Amino acid sequence: MTASEIRERYTRFFANNGHTLLASSDIVPKSDSTLLFTNAGMVPFKQFFLNPTSAPYKMVTSVQKCVRAGGKHNDLDQVGYTPRHHTFFEMLGNFSFGAYGKREIIQMAWRFVTEELQMPAKMLRVTVLESDDESYNIWKNEIGIDPKRIVRCGAEDNFWSMGSGEGPCGPSSEIFWDTQDPRYSENDEERWLEFWNLVFMQYHRTADGELKQLATPCIDTGMGLERVASILQGKKNNFDTDIFQNIIDGIEHSASVAASTSPDKLLTYKRIIADHLRASAFLIAEGVYPSNTGRGYVLRRIIRRAVRAGRLLGINSGVLSGLYPSLESAMGAAYPEIVERRKPIVSVLESEEKAFLKTLDKGMALLEDIFASGSESNSRVISGKDVFLLYDTHGFPVDLTEIIARDHGWGVDVAAFDRIQHESRERNRASWKGGSSKKDTVAGEIESACLEWQDAMVQSRFCGYDIDPESKQASVTAKVAAFRELSNGDALAVIDPCPFYATGGGQQADTGKIAVTRGSDTHEFAVKTAVALPNGKATVLHLTGAGSKHALFDAGQEVTGTIDMHRRYGNAVHHTATHLLNAALRRVVGDSVMQAGSLVQPDGLRFDFTSAPLTSSQLEKIEDLVNGAALDNTSLCVHQMSLEQAKTQGAMAMFTEKYDTENVRVVEVPGVSMELCGGTHLHTTRAVFPFQIISEGSIGSGTRRIEAVAGVSAARWLQRQLGHARAAAQTLEAKSLDGMGKKAQQLVEKNKALKDEVATWLQTAAVNVEAIATRATCLGKENVPTVVHLLPLLACSPAVSSAKTAQHSGGDARLVAERARFLRDAQPHSAHVVIQGCAVALSVDTECVSGAKAKELLRDLFAILPGKGGGQDTLAQGKLASAVTALDQLTCIK
């Protein structure tokens, strides 16, 4: 049975048994800040387990995309080396929020396994909590399982909770498959493979550990698709199932490795790539991009691990991007987003791979040097300092260094690395002035209040769309729905209806004030910001200085909310401009452009998208298109429709956002743009003019960013630029702004002539300058014959106006390097150290002096004469800590 058939049979079975089939939630949790990724099928339903009465459906089934990499739940290091660890996997699940209990789920599970999947009953056994007689009796008396195949286990195996603290929890029952592995007897647990976990959430654990019966028991089950596929397809390893084989076949067509490579290692590398391609593609599809922090760093580790595995298989480019068609073939039917978003995903994969390959060889060379030096000293542990260097300079994730070390029979001093990394972070943190701990406390209080209000089903209606963005003032009378004091003296409030737009969709929140009248007194409090509850059902206002005014905000108290219309208008201008920019980009660059994020502010906008770098001509065309659309003064249209209708009509959507399938808001600029959007906009496009792009550049692998201004903000920006231009024209002594270009070109040509003069002088000086002293010595472990040349400080250098200045500036680094090159070519049988003041260069002809490398010899020199520097094998340069001006300063060189 194929994986696709298993998916379809599972969801059809439970749908036929009254469950609502829901699509997979995002891998990036939208309402759970405690998780990096969705790592289990129940994660999207956590709030309903906490408050079952709030669940919109009482019985649900789903196939959930999950990732376990990074954070507490991290399987990354085991992937490829074990049969069943994966970074990305699919979890088949069915859930009940008070609709049924143990008996019903045990009966349904057994019917599904034995009838739908046709697993022989004699190949199955189950476990129950040792004290759970109810489950035991259902399996024994109602299902009819032989008691010998019902195993009672302790709480460490068969009791589940959301964590170690307070919350819903309960016993579980697991179903196992007999692998018939001849290495183990029938009673040996290693022989049995667990594939389905049924959790009966019937208790609430209090803060002091007491278990109390829940008023509404729930059911949570999870079955790994990859694991059950291996059973039904008769495979001992998940990677041998049809889920992975299509990708692995593609790898085998691309691989080209030496015959001496171990077959086991080859198989491991293929499995790493197959697993990591799936994880990378699905993460990028949800808007996660490689970076050095958080989810982006986890993605970077996954991609770089795969690239290194590809290199070991002889695939030197396109490790993941080249295999993408295999992934589409394997999973595109079940997850059409990986087909729809192919271009941006492949672009990010290509970019990240190219970036890593630039440093991979350098990092591997450093590791080879470490392995070679360790062989001589019998030390087989990579130091924390070297691990940090690989991580910080060459982009090697720590786990990648550990894998490479393990392949060479080495260890890694992870504790020392952690200490060095911690010290580095502390230094960075110390350089930032901010009261972060107090801010973190308040942020935690806000998150806690939002979750509590969501569970309590607090709601407010947003009425801000009814306000004309060009109004000078806008006030709404509302009533207090909820209020909470904060520890810093501020407060949170929900009012209904609410005119304040909450941060969302890239748009910054409205600000303003709340007024409360009691008798003849009116109390006003500034609205600092506004955020939406995770479920979007209410807007929470952050009020400054209202913490001690609880009595003014009783539930039902009438208040007046007044919006800062200057800020609202600026947001509206730049949000409408963002839509026009998105449409213009697609017209100029093509439909492959995908929005990767945006920021709408009162005084500007930021737009992230997937694309190659834009040319100046393309940027000008985009500006012209936006300004043309603005001057057309087109009226915007807002529609409410189903998601399917919106897609049919061609509305664009942010692929990282989730939308209500029944009702979405569509903002249309007729003939120009149509997007799903919940933000506030202008009524017509004219106020977007003028539109000006300020910058365009890279922010990561395959991702670009445009920063722009529109309307009044653009006019002010252009005024400032005109002021800068006038100042520059005055400095250049240009008679007009039109003459600035000619004057600047004249300066460029003059500067080039001076550079050519300096280069000519350096070549002449390098040949003719005489050292005031020389000393013969040997450097390095190989005792490389070396001549040290001490040059005089020359006042006649075009770069140095006097000998005193030369000494102060550390000498002429260019002259020193040029002299070192000359000596290397003129006297190739020894290494040459050239010093002038603080400037030092070391050269060596690597063909004539066997085993010598300039960068390594310079490092040896710095052990004698302190300094810093680096370079290549034939020429290295640096700066000494102290200037050398006389021969007696070189007595330390033997």
Side-chain angles (χ1 to χ4, degrees):
M1 192 180 297
T2 66
S4 295
E5 289 175 310
I6 298 169
R7 275 194 213 99
E8 195 277 330
R9 287 195 182 201
Y10 185 89
T11 53
R12 184 184 61 200
F13 176 85
F14 283 100
N16 289 342
N17 280 276
H19 293 66
T20 300
L21 173 59
L22 297 181
S24 171
S25 293
D26 292 340
I27 299 172
V28 178
K30 291 292 186 289
S31 58
D32 191 340
S33 61
T34 65
L35 294 175
L36 269 179
F37 304 110
T38 298
N39 54 37
M42 58 75 62
V43 168
F45 309 109
K46 281 174 71 172
Q47 60 182 305
F48 304 133
F49 289 120
L50 293 167
N51 184 9
T53 58
S54 68
Y57 309 103
K58 295 305 177 185
M59 297 189 293
V60 167
T61 186
S62 68
V63 181
Q64 177 62 47
K65 299 176 291 185
C66 299
V67 166
R68 285 186 183 169
K72 184 171 64 174
H73 304 281
N74 181 19
D75 289 346
L76 184 58
D77 295 343
Q78 284 77 41
V79 171
Y81 295 91
T82 68
R84 315 204 188 278
H85 281 102
H86 305 290
T87 52
F88 173 90
F89 60 96
E90 298 172 76
M91 187 62 75
L92 308 172
N94 62 284
F95 312 92
S96 163
F97 309 107
Y100 57 78
K102 292 180 183 179
R103 173 171 286 101
E104 292 84 358
I105 183 53
I106 289 175
Q107 291 173 344
M108 283 189 284
W110 190 252
R111 288 207 319 273
F112 178 74
V113 167
T114 57
E115 296 174 15
E116 286 289 327
L117 300 185
Q118 298 182 354
M119 291 185 181
K122 66 180 182 180
M123 300 292 289
L124 301 170
R125 82 172 185 181
V126 299
T127 62
V128 297
L129 183 67
E130 54 192 355
S131 60
D132 188 4
D133 293 334
E134 182 185 1
S135 294
Y136 181 90
N137 289 328
I138 294 171
W139 283 116
K140 175 177 174 288
N141 301 325
E142 300 182 28
I143 303 300
I145 293 183
D146 185 338
K148 293 179 181 178
R149 289 183 176 268
I150 307 174
V151 181
R152 292 181 182 265
C153 297
E156 66 276 8
D157 292 313
N158 280 81
F159 193 91
W160 187 93
S161 62
M162 281 181 157
S164 58
E166 186 178 6
C169 57
S172 68
S173 182
E174 297 173 320
I175 306 178
F176 288 76
W177 170 259
D178 186 355
T179 65
Q180 295 188 311
D181 190 325
R183 294 176 298 171
Y184 307 107
S185 69
E186 187 174 351
N187 294 323
D188 195 323
E189 68 177 63
E190 292 296 327
R191 173 166 163 162
W192 296 87
L193 175 65
E194 181 265 319
F195 66 92
W196 201 353
N197 189 16
L198 316 177
V199 179
F200 317 125
M201 281 199 237
Q202 61 191 72
Y203 300 114
H204 179 89
R205 179 186 280 129
T206 63
D208 59 6
E210 182 184 358
L211 295 179
K212 292 187 175 181
Q213 197 78 27
L214 282 173
T216 308
C218 297
I219 298 294
D220 159 28
T221 85
M223 176 164 58
L225 176 64
E226 294 79 4
R227 186 168 291 202
V228 75
S230 72
I231 294 172
L232 296 175
Q233 295 174 21
K235 305 297 183 182
K236 294 181 180 180
N237 192 304
N238 291 0
F239 288 99
D240 294 333
T241 64
D242 68 317
I243 298 172
F244 292 95
Q245 274 307 301
N246 199 50
I247 302 172
I248 289 176
D249 288 345
I251 297 170
E252 288 173 348
H253 285 120
S254 305
S256 172
V257 293
S260 59
T261 307
S262 158
D264 287 343
K265 283 189 175 182
L266 292 180
L267 197 54
T268 296
Y269 300 148
K270 291 172 187 175
R271 289 169 175 172
I272 287 172
I273 294 170
D275 174 274
H276 290 6
L277 172 59
R278 298 194 332 152
S280 300
F282 280 98
L283 286 172
I284 297 168
E286 291 197 9
V288 178
Y289 297 102
S291 70
N292 287 328
T293 58
R295 297 181 179 100
Y297 184 58
V298 175
L299 174 59
R300 172 159 285 167
R301 290 166 60 195
I302 292 171
I303 294 174
R304 295 190 170 191
R305 210 166 173 262
V307 171
R308 190 253 174 179
R311 175 65 70 87
L312 293 171
L313 288 172
I315 308 173
N316 293 319
S317 64
V319 174
L320 296 179
S321 58
L323 291 167
Y324 201 79
S326 300
L327 176 67
E328 288 180 309
S329 176
M331 305 190 73
Y335 299 102
E337 65 265 31
I338 65 172
V339 178
E340 296 166 359
R341 300 162 194 169
R342 175 195 305 115
K343 287 185 178 179
I345 293 170
V346 170
S347 174
V348 171
L349 292 173
E350 287 175 341
S351 253
E352 181 64 15
E353 180 172 345
K354 287 176 183 175
F356 184 46
L357 287 174
K358 289 178 182 177
T359 61
L360 178 59
D361 290 336
K362 290 180 180 178
M364 288 305 301
L366 175 59
L367 279 169
E368 291 300 334
D369 287 346
I370 292 169
F371 295 144
S373 62
S375 298
E376 296 175 6
S377 63
N378 294 321
S379 170
R380 301 184 71 80
V381 176
I382 303 176
S383 71
K385 182 180 179 182
D386 285 330
V387 177
F388 186 77
L389 176 65
L390 285 161
Y391 162 80
D392 195 47
T393 304
H394 300 293
F396 272 51
V398 180
D399 52 347
L400 178 58
T401 301
E402 288 183 289
I403 291 168
I404 298 169
R406 182 169 61 199
D407 288 347
H408 285 75
W410 278 54
V412 170
D413 190 345
V414 177
F417 166 80
D418 289 341
R419 185 179 65 254
I420 294 169
Q421 184 184 45
H422 176 73
E423 290 169 355
S424 174
R425 286 173 176 169
E426 286 301 310
R427 285 193 297 272
N428 293 336
R429 189 176 289 116
S431 67
W432 178 70
K433 308 295 183 184
S436 59
S437 60
K438 192 168 185 178
K439 291 177 182 177
D440 290 345
T441 300
V442 172
E445 291 177 56
I446 294 172
E447 181 179 5
S448 176
C450 288
L451 290 174
E452 285 181 32
W453 285 343
Q454 177 172 274
D455 291 341
M457 292 183 283
V458 172
Q459 297 186 17
S460 66
R461 181 179 64 86
F462 176 61
C463 61
Y465 293 138
D466 302 331
I467 297 170
D468 184 345
E470 297 192 33
S471 299
K472 299 300 181 184
Q473 187 173 355
S475 297
V476 170
T477 300
K479 292 186 177 181
V480 175
F483 183 84
R484 173 74 58 86
E485 297 179 5
L486 297 174
S487 61
N488 67 347
D490 292 346
L492 303 177
V494 176
I495 63 171
D496 184 40
C498 181
F500 295 91
Y501 181 83
T503 300
Q507 180 177 324
Q508 287 194 343
D510 283 332
T511 59
K513 63 183 179 181
I514 292 290
V516 185
T517 300
R518 285 287 182 89
S520 59
D521 297 328
T522 299
H523 308 268
E524 291 187 347
F525 305 95
V527 176
K528 183 178 180 180
T529 188
V531 297
L533 292 183
N535 62 8
K537 299 293 186 181
T539 298
V540 178
L541 306 180
H542 186 154
L543 309 180
T544 58
S548 60
K549 306 294 182 180
H550 193 283
L552 295 174
F553 290 91
D554 294 333
Q557 169 67 47
E558 190 173 276
V559 298
T560 301
T562 303
I563 298 173
D564 179 344
M565 289 307 297
H566 177 75
R567 180 181 177 85
R568 164 69 75 91
Y569 178 71
N571 280 337
V573 167
H574 288 100
H575 207 146
T576 302
T578 298
H579 284 216
L580 299 180
L581 170 61
N582 194 3
L585 262 169
R586 294 172 69 85
R587 281 189 60 184
V588 173
V589 182
D591 290 340
S592 62
V593 168
M594 297 290 288
Q595 183 177 347
S598 65
L599 176 65
V600 173
Q601 304 178 101
D603 55 356
L605 68 88
R606 196 172 73 199
F607 190 83
D608 300 339
F609 58 100
T610 57
S611 170
L614 303 186
T615 64
S616 298
S617 174
Q618 287 176 313
L619 291 173
E620 288 178 9
K621 288 179 182 176
I622 291 167
E623 286 178 335
D624 289 344
L625 285 170
V626 175
N627 281 312
L631 291 173
D632 286 342
N633 198 26
T634 305
S635 295
L636 276 72
C637 302
V638 178
H639 316 280
Q640 300 289 148
M641 61 184 74
S642 72
L643 181 60
E644 193 58 39
Q645 286 177 309
K647 288 182 176 179
T648 301
Q649 293 186 24
M652 289 192 297
M654 260 286 283
F655 65 74
T656 56
E657 294 290 335
K658 283 288 183 183
Y659 299 95
D660 182 349
T661 57
E662 300 302 321
N663 186 34
V664 294
R665 183 172 184 263
V666 177
V667 176
E668 180 184 12
V669 181
V672 180
S673 165
M674 181 184 285
E675 292 191 35
L676 274 64
C677 181
T680 59
H681 285 267
L682 297 168
H683 288 173
T684 69
T685 60
R686 178 173 286 278
V688 170
F689 182 85
F691 173 82
Q692 181 69 44
I693 294 175
I694 296 174
S695 66
E696 187 275 339
S698 172
I699 59 167
S701 300
T703 309
R704 312 291 297 177
R705 171 172 292 170
I706 282 177
E707 293 184 347
V709 285
V712 174
S713 294
R716 289 172 179 161
W717 183 85
L718 290 167
Q719 277 184 319
R720 290 195 298 272
Q721 304 316 303
L722 182 60
H724 297 326
R726 285 171 175 155
Q730 187 174 2
T731 301
L732 292 169
E733 298 180 350
K735 294 181 179 178
S736 66
L737 296 183
D738 291 340
M740 282 177 60
K742 184 177 180 181
K743 280 284 188 179
Q745 184 60 37
Q746 289 173 351
L747 283 176
V748 169
E749 291 172 357
K750 184 176 181 180
N751 187 48
K752 184 179 181 301
L754 287 172
K755 285 183 176 180
D756 291 342
E757 181 183 341
V758 170
T760 301
W761 179 89
L762 284 171
Q763 290 172 355
T764 303
V767 173
N768 295 295
V769 66
E770 291 291 338
I772 57 174
T774 59
R775 176 184 289 275
T777 187
C778 292
L779 287 176
K781 291 178 289 187
E782 291 80 13
N783 288 320
V784 175
T786 306
V787 181
V788 181
H789 308 261
L790 180 59
L791 301 186
L793 292 165
L794 303 174
C796 56
S797 164
V800 181
S801 59
S802 69
K804 183 177 180 181
T805 303
Q807 186 171 348
H808 178 73
S809 66
D812 194 317
R814 293 169 298 174
L815 173 62
V816 168
E818 198 66 42
R819 179 64 178 175
R821 289 191 189 93
F822 171 76
L823 291 168
R824 177 192 64 200
D825 298 338
Q827 303 170 29
H829 295 288
S830 61
H832 297 275
V833 177
V834 181
I835 300 173
Q836 185 191 49
C838 290
V840 60
L842 194 152
S843 63
V844 63
D845 188 323
T846 53
E847 293 182 5
C848 294
V849 184
S850 179
K853 293 182 179 180
K855 58 186 179 183
E856 295 175 358
L857 294 176
L858 184 64
R859 193 161 58 235
D860 294 332
L861 178 67
F862 286 151
I864 305 168
L865 287 175
K868 292 182 178 180
Q872 306 301 316
D873 290 349
T874 58
L875 179 69
Q877 291 180 258
K879 185 176 181 181
L880 298 173
S882 301
V884 176
T885 56
L887 185 62
D888 57 9
Q889 292 176 265
L890 299 176
T891 54
C892 56
I893 301 179
K894 305 301 181 185

